[in-house]
Amino acid sequence: MTEANQDWSAQETEAIKERILSALETVIDPELGIDIVNLGLIYDIEFNPEDGDTVIKMTLTTMGCPLADILTESIHDALREVEEVKKVEVKLVWYPAWTTDKMSRYARIALGIR
């Protein structure tokens, strides 16, 4: 945006959040082989258009999941592709607890879950 046009519309912000979500779909859970979006691990995306700060609220399939650091690093790598994102913070949340109900139809079919 040019300096004269610093006001971001809600529509522009939502479009950026959609691009962030698309980038997160490239982050694959190494144990399950499915992306973290379809697994239902992403709970919220907060994007501040003024400074590019982005907060990803996500959970893991289990509280003691050893992949937290790997997934966090992969999220940082994926969001480098979204030019408006300047800073990323990944916050792990445990409520509501993750269940297979949060998975997309695609993820359930891929993992053989009904």
Side-chain angles (χ1 to χ4, degrees), residues 19-74:
R19 292 205 338 264
I20 290 168
L21 190 63
S22 292
L24 292 173
E25 287 179 330
T26 68
V27 177
I28 306 297
D29 180 300
E31 283 186 329
L32 299 175
I34 297 176
D35 69 88
I36 60 176
V37 174
N38 277 292
L39 283 174
L41 300 179
I42 302 300
Y43 282 4
D44 190 32
I45 298 169
E46 297 172 6
F47 174 73
N48 182 340
E50 300 302 317
D51 56 15
D53 284 0
T54 305
V55 176
I56 306 297
K57 291 183 181 174
M58 69 173 290
T59 195
L60 300 171
T61 55
T62 59
M63 201 173 266
C65 178
L67 299 175
D69 290 341
I70 292 168
L71 291 174
T72 298
E73 186 176 318
S74 295

Side-chain angles (χ1 to χ4, degrees), residues 34-35 37-40 100-114:
I34 297 176
D35 69 88
V37 174
N38 277 292
L39 283 174
T100 56
D101 292 343
K102 298 198 180 301
M103 295 169 64
S104 71
R105 182 174 182 271
Y106 159 79
R108 282 204 284 283
I109 290 170
L111 294 175
I113 297 171
R114 291 182 180 246

